[in-house]
Amino acid sequence: MAYLLAPYNSAMRLGMGFNSFTQQLCINDAVKTMNNQTATEKNLRPQYKKGEMESSTSQVVTWSAKFVDRISEVTDSMNISGSLEIKCDAIGGGGGASAHFIDSNKFKESDLNYFIQVKVTNEQLVAHDVTEFCPIADVSAADFTRVYGDSFISGFTEGGEFNALVSIKLKDRSKAKEIGGQLKIELDLKAASVKGTAEGSKKDLESSYEGETTISVSWTGGGDIKDESVTDWTFATLKAVAMEFPEHVMACPMRTNAILTKYTSLKSFHEKTLKGSPLDYENAGVYSSALLDAYMDFKVMWRNIQMAAWEVEQGQSYLVAKPNLPELSEMATEAQKHYTAQTARYQKLLTGPTAESETSSQIVPVTPLEDGSTVTQKVVKVESRGLLEAPLPPNPLKPYPATIFGLDKARRDCRFEMIKIVKEVDAVAHDPKVAIDPSRTWQYLSPAIFRVLLPSVHNLDAEKRAAAASEEARLKEENLAKTNQAIQNELTETKRKLADTEANLAQGAGPAGPEDGRSRGS
């Protein structure tokens, strides 16, 4: 059975409860040693005994280099839960998430994104004797996962991890495939040596295309992995550092991941008389990644709407409304039916809870909207299923007006869709079955559909430049046509004169007359 891993942070302790879906720390000492003692570092490695200890260093190194189209591909490779990234971004700032080095805007706007990863494991430190589950009295069944999580920290991995993301935004997108092939060869980690120097790399590839290149790097372990010769990240230096990273980790390892163990794998857990059991998040990972990709799409659109509003206000751009497609009306009708059904279901649970579910309620505000207002709703705590919240209204699915007011409404609605995704993460955390429920639709609008509703933004300067370039091309074409016509006319005139000359010569070389014969005879 493969280990379940989570990125390490300094607050982690042996035996601590952990939620593998949200990657949040839970209660301390959820699991203790067999003699009911708090787990310590001594449980990870044996105490030093002079003359009886042997030391050997071995490494497990995993190299990975690939093109990525979605941010979730990067976070999955780094063992980061998509729900953690969404929650950390929603509360503002990185929140300690390990993927904070990625610029989501650069990622989404780039034509090529190439991800390089080197994982080095020096050793796995597992506390095999931490097996005694320690329940707390009066923890209700509904609060089990919130208090304990679904697993506990049973060990750590030590080594290092190097991550780099190369994002390229090309001026000519038609060359994306060609540049991508060159990039894959240039950064091939399977090669035995680095091709050329940093200067050579710039000449070979980085100067062979017009565009913007962003290189983002993050590493754990290895100490100072760059020597004094590396003053800037280039393709060649990036590859050289990645190739040498395992040697640096051997000299300076760090804890990179926590090893998680499910409570259900403990004999002591099944022997206890408990109210409730940990939730199973095995199938929630794929849904979490999809939520992260949608959230990042909305985040980029939200920023672009703000930029468009500023450009329109400054007179630099103008807007053109999108057409109201018939399919939008059909989708709006379907979404409203779903919202009505979900509201009725919520009201039924609110006013008449079932006999099997013990409920309580409270009034809480949701996240404030962009206009400063808040949506207050009642939250019902259903003991057997966690929190049940009132459904949020769907987008009316009508193209936004091509005005500054339309953009402002679009910006608020875009933010509201992001809030819906955050609340969907909470829903999965309280009930993992949400992730595999085929009838659970319209929780948030697809980013692709929302993009259809936004007015097109036309930059005046860009259009002027395009018009000027088009006019220049037209004039060049006209001048070329005139030049070709002049050459053609000159050629025609030359051919006519040549034909006249040949005709005159032909007449002058004709048969002699009688007078000419007499003159020659005399």
Side-chain angles (χ1 to χ4, degrees):
M1 179 179 177
Y3 283 119
L4 185 63
L5 302 176
Y8 173 79
N9 71 68
S10 57
M12 290 178 168
R13 298 289 183 271
L14 276 177
M16 176 181 284
F18 195 83
N19 188 311
S20 63
F21 177 70
T22 61
Q23 292 191 337
Q24 292 178 338
L25 302 176
C26 298
I27 191 171
N28 284 322
D29 297 332
V31 181
K32 294 184 178 181
T33 63
M34 290 182 288
N35 56 359
N36 203 30
Q37 298 294 316
T38 299
T40 65
E41 293 292 312
K42 295 180 180 179
N43 298 105
L44 286 175
R45 48 168 69 92
Q47 289 181 290
Y48 178 75
K49 296 181 180 180
K50 187 175 180 179
E52 299 181 10
M53 302 295 293
E54 295 183 359
S55 175
S56 61
T57 302
S58 61
Q59 290 183 318
V60 177
V61 181
T62 304
W63 309 86
S64 177
K66 59 183 178 180
F67 288 101
V68 290
D69 299 319
R70 300 180 301 275
I71 288 182
S72 62
E73 294 181 73
V74 178
T75 56
D76 289 346
S77 297
M78 298 174 66
N79 294 322
I80 300 172
S81 169
S83 62
L84 176 64
E85 285 295 306
I86 294 172
K87 296 289 285 186
C88 288
D89 188 89
I91 63 177
S98 302
H100 64 275
F101 77 101
I102 301 173
D103 188 332
S104 58
N105 293 325
K106 292 285 186 183
F107 185 95
K108 300 299 293 185
E109 293 171 356
S110 297
D111 301 297
L112 295 169
N113 289 290
Y114 197 71
F115 181 60
I116 298 174
Q117 184 179 64
V118 183
K119 286 187 175 182
V120 183
T121 302
N122 283 6
E123 57 182 336
Q124 294 176 338
L125 307 173
V126 182
H128 295 286
D129 58 341
V130 179
T131 58
E132 191 67 24
F133 180 71
C134 302
I136 302 174
D138 300 326
V139 173
S140 65
D143 288 332
F144 185 96
T145 301
R146 181 181 62 82
V147 175
Y148 297 102
D150 64 314
S151 55
F152 69 97
I153 297 174
S154 59
F156 303 99
T157 62
E158 287 190 352
E161 184 172 315
F162 176 87
N163 298 290
L165 182 65
V166 179
S167 298
I168 300 176
K169 184 179 181 180
L170 297 172
K171 188 174 182 180
D172 183 3
R173 291 190 171 185
S174 63
K175 295 184 178 180
K177 186 175 182 180
E178 175 187 351
I179 300 300
Q182 296 180 28
L183 180 65
K184 186 175 182 180
I185 294 174
E186 189 74 21
L187 297 178
D188 183 11
L189 295 179
K190 297 179 182 178
S193 62
V194 179
K195 301 176 183 177
T197 63
E199 185 65 24
S201 176
K202 288 183 179 179
K203 292 181 179 179
D204 293 339
L205 178 58
E206 293 180 71
S207 62
S208 65
Y209 61 85
E210 291 186 78
E212 177 184 347
T213 302
T214 302
I215 299 178
S216 304
V217 179
S218 174
W219 71 89
T220 300
D224 187 6
I225 63 176
K226 297 191 300 179
D227 57 34
E228 63 277 0
S229 64
V230 180
T231 58
D232 191 18
W233 287 112
T234 63
F235 294 153
T237 58
L238 183 64
K239 180 178 177 181
V241 170
M243 296 289 288
E244 296 171 359
F245 184 69
E247 296 181 16
H248 289 279
V249 171
M250 186 175 293
C252 183
M254 289 181 64
R255 288 187 176 176
T256 55
N257 292 284
I259 299 174
L260 308 179
T261 299
K262 295 286 188 180
Y263 289 123
T264 51
S265 66
L266 298 177
K267 179 182 178 181
S268 61
F269 173 80
H270 297 284
E271 292 175 343
K272 305 292 182 180
T273 301
L274 301 171
K275 293 182 179 179
S277 61
L279 299 176
D280 185 2
Y281 294 109
E282 295 294 332
N283 298 314
V286 175
Y287 190 47
S288 176
S289 297
L291 291 175
L292 175 61
D293 291 328
Y295 183 89
M296 289 302 175
D297 282 344
F298 277 116
K299 182 180 178 181
V300 172
M301 279 191 285
W302 185 61
R303 191 205 63 157
N304 292 340
I305 293 170
Q306 288 182 304
M307 292 180 58
W310 183 86
E311 291 178 359
V312 172
E313 184 180 3
Q314 298 298 318
Q316 298 179 4
S317 300
Y318 67 94
L319 305 172
V320 176
K322 294 287 182 64
N324 192 358
L325 302 175
E327 292 83 358
L328 293 176
S329 179
E330 296 175 3
M331 291 182 67
T333 302
E334 185 179 350
Q336 187 60 40
K337 287 182 179 178
H338 181 270
Y339 173 66
T340 302
Q342 291 298 314
T343 302
R345 175 177 173 273
Y346 168 75
Q347 292 295 336
K348 182 178 179 180
L349 290 174
L350 183 64
T351 58
T354 60
E356 294 82 6
S357 300
E358 179 185 351
T359 65
S360 62
S361 61
Q362 58 181 336
I363 301 296
V364 296
V366 300
T367 307
L369 299 180
E370 288 298 313
D371 58 0
S373 62
T374 59
V375 179
T376 301
Q377 57 184 19
K378 199 169 186 178
V379 177
V380 178
K381 190 175 184 181
V382 183
E383 295 294 342
S384 61
R385 296 194 59 182
L387 294 176
L388 178 66
E389 297 186 356
L392 298 178
N395 188 289
L397 289 173
K398 293 182 180 179
Y400 294 100
T403 63
I404 194 71
F405 301 101
L407 284 181
D408 184 67
K409 178 69 164 58
R411 182 172 60 91
R412 287 185 281 117
D413 286 352
C414 184
R415 182 65 178 172
F416 194 48
E417 294 300 325
M418 294 169 68
I419 292 172
K420 291 179 182 178
I421 295 176
V422 174
K423 297 179 78 64
E424 187 70 358
V425 169
D426 293 335
V428 177
H430 285 292
D431 184 5
K433 292 181 180 178
V434 165
I436 56 175
D437 185 358
S439 64
R440 190 176 179 86
T441 56
W442 298 108
Q443 301 306 310
Y444 63 93
L445 185 62
S446 166
I449 302 300
F450 189 86
R451 200 174 287 114
V452 173
L453 306 177
L454 298 176
S456 300
V457 182
H458 297 264
N459 186 273
L460 293 173
D461 290 338
E463 288 192 352
K464 288 178 181 179
R465 289 193 297 268
S470 178
E471 181 64 16
E472 183 180 358
R474 186 185 67 80
L475 291 176
K476 285 184 179 179
E477 187 176 351
E478 287 184 358
N479 291 334
L480 180 61
K482 289 179 180 179
T483 301
N484 291 337
Q485 186 61 44
I487 294 175
Q488 185 66 32
N489 293 340
E490 185 177 351
L491 181 61
T492 301
E493 182 63 20
T494 302
K495 287 182 178 179
R496 186 186 65 76
K497 290 180 179 180
L498 181 61
D500 291 345
T501 301
E502 290 177 349
N504 292 335
L505 290 175
Q507 291 179 358
E515 295 183 357
D516 292 338
R518 286 195 301 270
S519 299
R520 286 194 296 271
S522 62

